[in-house]
Amino acid sequence: MSKKLESKVAVVTGGSTGIGRAVARHLAEAGARVVVTGRHEATLKESAAQHPDIVYLVADVAQPEDAARTVDEVRRRYGRLDILVNNAGVAPMVPLPDAKPDHVRGVFDVNVSGLIELTRQALPLLRDAKGVVVNVASVVADRPFANMSVYAASKAAVLALTRSWAKELAPDGVRVNAVSPGPIETPIFGKTGLGPEQLEAMSSRILQEVPANRLGQPDEAASVVAFLASPQASYVTGAQYTVGGGSEA
């Protein structure tokens, strides 16, 4: 693979499994030094083992002090940050009657507030490097599913942040884009709170909306993230790339 990201430094949140793990590998194979963050050390170690240029840091994106600690560690270790991939997210299926304040806060703390705080903390380094932010949203931001209203709203917020920041940070040379995966075969499907039969039924319903008639693979989303992080996308900012097998955005 071409080393188009040689000498670059990247942070990938939620980098222990699924899309985040695949993104970390793609960036490292392109020459970047990559820090993956997440809450579970065991799976972070597995992700870091993919490539010698991946290291890990146990950090909860929902905790503001962990955002500051992540940026401080990157600054201490590398002295720069070129690429921030805001991938960490939660996707519980909760009908409106059960969407109590604790649920809403829990989803938004990870998917929105944490994304904002880490990007805010990282901004001085990103400005110095004229870097790149890639936010991982979801097709449900544009086509919400029943019983996922809070999650869909959180990902719609991610798209709004992406478009606003792209305009705000363009004078600093910082590009900001979003990747909206459709149904990707990742562990997040197991974190919806549904049982096996319910998951199977949900997958069947989702596939009816996907012209490609299959679930996507993490690498298929990761390759688009890697493109947006690369110099090949130097004139792309404020964009939303849908990776959904034909799912309408």
Side-chain angles (χ1 to χ4, degrees):
M1 180 178 289
S2 170
K3 299 293 185 181
K4 57 183 177 291
L5 296 180
E6 192 167 7
S7 81
K8 304 296 186 183
V9 174
V11 168
V12 181
T13 68
S16 59
T17 62
I19 293 172
R21 180 183 290 193
V23 167
R25 190 182 74 255
H26 277 250
L27 297 180
E29 289 176 348
R33 291 167 290 174
V34 183
V35 179
V36 291
T37 71
R39 294 179 296 172
H40 305 294
E41 186 170 18
T43 48
L44 284 170
K45 282 184 177 179
E46 293 172 0
S47 181
Q50 297 179 106
H51 195 280
D53 288 329
I54 303 175
V55 299
Y56 73 87
L57 178 66
V58 179
D60 183 350
V61 73
Q63 302 300 321
E65 59 271 21
D66 281 10
R69 184 165 57 85
T70 298
V71 174
D72 285 345
E73 177 62 20
V74 171
R75 185 183 288 110
R76 183 194 67 79
R77 183 185 288 261
Y78 302 111
R80 63 182 298 148
L81 177 62
D82 303 272
I83 301 160
L84 173 60
V85 181
N86 287 309
N87 169 73
V90 292
M93 289 197 76
V94 175
L96 179 57
D98 297 325
K100 298 176 182 178
D102 284 350
H103 165 70
V104 176
R105 279 194 298 270
V107 173
F108 271 75
D109 281 352
V110 175
N111 294 359
V112 182
S113 300
L115 179 151
I116 294 171
E117 180 60 12
L118 181 57
T119 308
R120 186 185 75 83
Q121 293 274 358
L123 192 53
L125 289 176
L126 290 168
R127 280 177 164 148
D128 286 346
K130 297 189 182 302
V132 182
V133 178
V134 182
N135 295 324
V136 178
S138 170
V139 294
V140 303
D142 298 291
R143 297 191 65 191
F145 297 157
N147 301 316
M148 296 189 80
S149 58
V150 176
Y151 173 67
S154 74
K155 290 303 187 177
V158 170
L159 293 179
L161 292 167
T162 299
R163 291 161 182 155
S164 179
W165 291 347
K167 294 178 180 179
E168 181 178 342
L169 301 180
D172 299 317
V174 177
R175 296 189 294 108
V176 187
N177 293 291
V179 172
S180 289
I184 305 291
E185 196 171 341
T186 74
I188 201 167
F189 269 96
K191 300 175 183 177
T192 57
L194 300 179
E197 291 184 0
Q198 291 172 306
L199 277 173
E200 180 63 30
M202 183 185 75
S203 295
S204 297
R205 289 195 304 272
I206 290 172
L207 286 178
Q208 291 175 5
E209 304 294 326
V210 180
N213 196 36
R214 67 174 177 85
L215 295 178
Q217 297 300 310
D219 280 333
E220 293 177 301
S223 62
V224 179
V225 174
F227 161 71
L228 289 171
S230 76
Q232 292 172 312
S234 58
Y235 200 51
V236 181
T237 195
Q240 175 190 3
Y241 277 60
T242 299
V243 185
S247 302
E248 294 180 14

